[in-house]
Amino acid sequence: MKKNIVIVGAGLVGSMLACYLSKRGHKVSVYERRPDMRVAGYIGGRSINLALSHRGWKALKKIGLDKAVENIAIPMTGRMIHDLSGSTNLFPYGKEGQAIYSVSRGELNKIMVIEAEKFADVNFYFNNRCTTLDFDNNQISFEDAQANKSTHQSADVIFGADGAFSEVRYQMQKTPSFNLSQNHEQYGYKELHIPAGKNGEHQIEKNALHIWPRKSFMMIALPNLDGSFTVTLFAPFKGENSFESIQTEKDIDAYFNRNFPDAVPLMPNLKEDYASNPTSSLVTIKCFPWTYKNTCLIGDAAHAVVPFYGQGMNCGFEDVSELDEILNGSNENWEQVLDTLQNQRKPNADAIADLAVHNFIEMRDLSGREDFQLRLKIEKKLAEKFSDKFMTHYSMVTFSDLSYSEAKKRGEEQSELLDKIMSIGDIAAKWDSPEVLKIAEDWIKVNRN
């Protein structure tokens, strides 16, 4: 039965949800507080490039959008670690041929809106800020700042896909038994830029995610189609090597020459970029329930995560894909569908939130250490040797269909095995020995059969 569905938020998850629901025959109205990014350009609170991986591609492919997105995606086959001396070392993410993909948030969002509008019963309304929700009467109100008018919309189902600082979630906070956890990291981030070379080429390896790990802080760079890189500095707000410690142009020069000397020559506009771009915060948001009556939170509105596993968008896309599967098996009983969605996705959203915070520590503190690099090499060796029983933790999250909660559980179990192997005397010389393989084989017999 055709439903009148309102989606609040025309970001990536909202526009994908519009495609899925319209394809099922529903009438979909999407309201967005920002201007139309196809006309005004992309305006977002976060401009970190996105890392599109298996879960995201799978959701795109189900509605035939993968080909359009392939045109703006650059494969990154591994982490390129830059040490303080300027030496680099590439660590592949998965098996040969596996990669995560750098995509521009703004360009991807434009594609998603364009594709969504191709469906007959999808309409977008920009510059419309959600103001109130009447849960009892199934009504939602918006204020159009440009036209100076209010709109009151009735809906059979309402989705809040309006991001980490969701107005729909704020309205749901006023309902009975709503629980919210909001955790701000003591770290922030600032976007910088490496321009293309003289002939439009990438100045550093194109097909890698570049990391400058410095223990308590780090810098990363992701490639863009025009030959440039989007660079992001992650650092504490206060204390040593913090944003607070950088107050003048002289401080900028000293900070980057001291910590990222090989990157400074690549960033001719470093001081201007640093001064003009904001320092933004990092937040993890968990809440429950995601539904109240006919309203449901989805994507970042339900589960905002820090960006260090590259799974925020992929998780949101998986929300939409799983919603579609639930609808297939429910005869579109929406009350049952929304309840199943929240109970099915909540444990996985919590798991990837925890994994993302842990991966920040790994990228920032550990990835530059020789012992950690050896640990990854051993883990990858075991995955190759016992491919039917053992996957690297990163591959479980990034390249598989395992639920995030199962990937977290298995990763914790495998960490105990790797701890045992790393404790072997002279492990650097024995890492691929029969002794190590026997320990792993015995563990797998007990834990993976």
Side-chain angles (χ1 to χ4, degrees):
M1 180 177 168
K2 185 173 184 176
K3 297 289 186 182
N4 179 25
I5 298 175
V6 167
I7 300 171
V8 183
L12 298 172
V13 173
S15 51
M16 173 172 272
L17 182 59
C19 293
Y20 268 81
L21 294 176
S22 180
K23 195 172 183 179
R24 299 188 72 90
H26 300 298
K27 182 179 185 299
V28 182
S29 301
V30 187
Y31 289 83
E32 170 58 53
R33 63 178 175 82
R34 297 169 297 179
D36 187 342
M37 73 287 293
R38 296 166 297 177
V39 177
Y42 184 77
I43 302 169
R46 298 183 301 168
S47 51
I48 297 173
N49 281 40
L50 300 165
L52 182 61
S53 57
H54 171 74
R55 297 170 200 270
W57 283 117
K58 185 178 178 182
L60 288 165
K61 193 170 184 177
K62 278 181 71 176
I63 48 170
L65 297 188
D66 52 317
K67 297 301 181 186
V69 176
E70 282 176 4
N71 295 326
I72 64 164
I74 299 176
M76 300 181 292
T77 59
R79 295 175 176 174
M80 184 71 79
I81 304 298
H82 296 247
D83 69 19
L84 200 53
S85 72
S87 296
T88 59
N89 204 350
L90 180 66
F91 294 89
Y93 280 126
K95 301 174 185 176
E96 188 173 347
Q98 287 184 325
I100 60 175
Y101 291 78
S102 175
V103 293
S104 159
R105 181 186 296 272
E107 290 305 310
L108 180 57
N109 207 162
K110 289 178 188 177
I111 286 175
M112 299 297 294
V113 171
I114 289 167
E115 294 298 324
E117 278 202 330
K118 290 180 181 178
F119 290 91
D121 264 344
V122 175
N123 292 291
F124 284 83
Y125 304 92
F126 293 94
N127 298 298
N128 274 268
R129 182 176 64 87
C130 174
T131 53
T132 58
L133 254 167
D134 183 343
F135 296 101
D136 293 326
N137 295 303
N138 298 340
Q139 278 206 337
I140 185 167
S141 299
F142 300 90
E143 184 179 89
D144 185 333
Q146 283 193 332
N148 194 27
K149 69 174 185 179
S150 296
T151 300
H152 307 285
Q153 175 79 47
S154 296
D156 297 309
V157 183
I158 297 168
F159 282 98
D162 48 340
F165 302 103
S166 166
E167 179 62 31
V168 176
R169 189 181 66 241
Y170 175 71
Q171 297 290 332
M172 286 179 69
Q173 284 175 235
K174 304 171 188 177
T175 64
S177 303
F178 187 87
N179 293 292
L180 174 68
S181 165
Q182 182 172 292
N183 183 58
H184 285 267
E185 299 294 324
Q186 298 306 305
Y187 283 76
Y189 68 89
K190 185 183 287 285
E191 184 180 300
L192 304 167
H193 187 68
I194 293 176
K198 290 181 180 179
N199 298 314
E201 76 279 6
H202 291 84
Q203 296 193 65
I204 51 179
E205 172 57 45
K206 173 184 178 181
N207 298 115
L209 190 157
H210 294 262
I211 308 176
W212 289 259
R214 298 298 181 259
K215 294 187 178 178
S216 62
F217 61 108
M218 70 174 182
M219 190 167 73
I220 68 171
L222 278 75
N224 297 310
L225 292 172
D226 64 1
S228 69
F229 284 81
T230 299
V231 181
T232 312
L233 171 66
F234 296 94
F237 284 115
K238 296 183 178 182
E240 187 178 4
N241 293 309
S242 66
F243 287 109
E244 182 185 56
S245 70
I246 307 172
Q247 298 295 326
T248 66
E249 287 193 355
K250 186 177 178 181
D251 292 338
I252 297 172
D253 278 335
Y255 186 93
F256 282 86
N257 280 303
R258 181 174 70 250
N259 297 309
F260 312 109
D262 63 322
V264 171
L266 305 174
M267 298 190 286
N269 299 315
L270 171 60
K271 288 193 284 288
E272 293 88 339
D273 289 342
Y274 192 94
S276 60
N277 292 337
T279 303
S280 303
S281 61
L282 296 163
V283 63
T284 298
I285 293 173
K286 299 178 181 179
C287 67
F288 201 77
W290 294 359
T291 70
Y292 184 71
K293 297 193 174 179
N294 74 329
T295 300
C296 181
L297 301 173
I298 196 167
D300 280 359
H303 49 73
V305 302
V306 294
F308 303 111
Y309 229 122
Q311 289 296 307
M313 170 191 62
N314 293 287
C315 181
F317 281 4
E318 194 173 61
D319 286 350
V320 177
S321 178
E322 288 199 14
L323 170 66
D324 189 60
E325 291 174 12
I326 295 166
L327 284 164
N328 286 338
S330 69
N331 200 26
E332 300 216 359
N333 177 336
W334 278 91
E335 182 178 354
Q336 176 189 328
V337 164
L338 298 183
D339 187 57
T340 301
L341 177 69
Q342 67 174 353
N343 288 302
Q344 189 167 299
R345 293 298 293 164
K346 169 66 172 170
N348 295 316
D350 287 352
I352 193 57
D354 296 340
L355 287 168
V357 171
H358 182 268
N359 210 45
F360 181 31
I361 298 168
E362 179 178 309
M363 293 172 72
R364 180 193 73 205
D365 299 6
L366 304 178
S367 62
R369 285 172 36 177
E370 288 185 7
D371 61 335
F372 185 74
Q373 292 170 7
L374 176 60
R375 184 186 180 99
L376 291 182
K377 190 158 65 169
I378 293 169
E379 185 187 29
K380 188 172 183 183
K381 176 75 174 181
L382 299 182
E384 291 170 355
K385 180 68 176 176
F386 307 104
S387 58
D388 58 333
K389 300 288 185 181
F390 189 100
M391 294 176 68
T392 68
H393 197 193
Y394 190 89
S395 291
M396 283 188 262
V397 173
T398 307
F399 301 123
S400 86
D401 292 316
L402 278 178
S403 68
Y404 288 124
S405 56
E406 181 64 17
K408 181 185 177 189
K409 173 177 170 288
R410 291 193 186 191
E412 289 167 349
E413 292 170 350
Q414 290 178 191
S415 184
E416 294 179 6
L417 167 63
L418 292 167
D419 286 344
K420 182 177 181 179
I421 292 171
M422 289 298 293
S423 69
I424 295 172
D426 198 20
I427 184 60
K430 299 179 179 176
W431 70 273
D432 61 348
S433 67
E435 177 186 356
V436 168
L437 293 177
K438 182 66 167 61
I439 291 171
E441 185 175 19
D442 290 344
W443 183 90
I444 288 167
K445 285 178 181 176
V446 173
N447 294 278
R448 290 289 180 266
N449 286 325

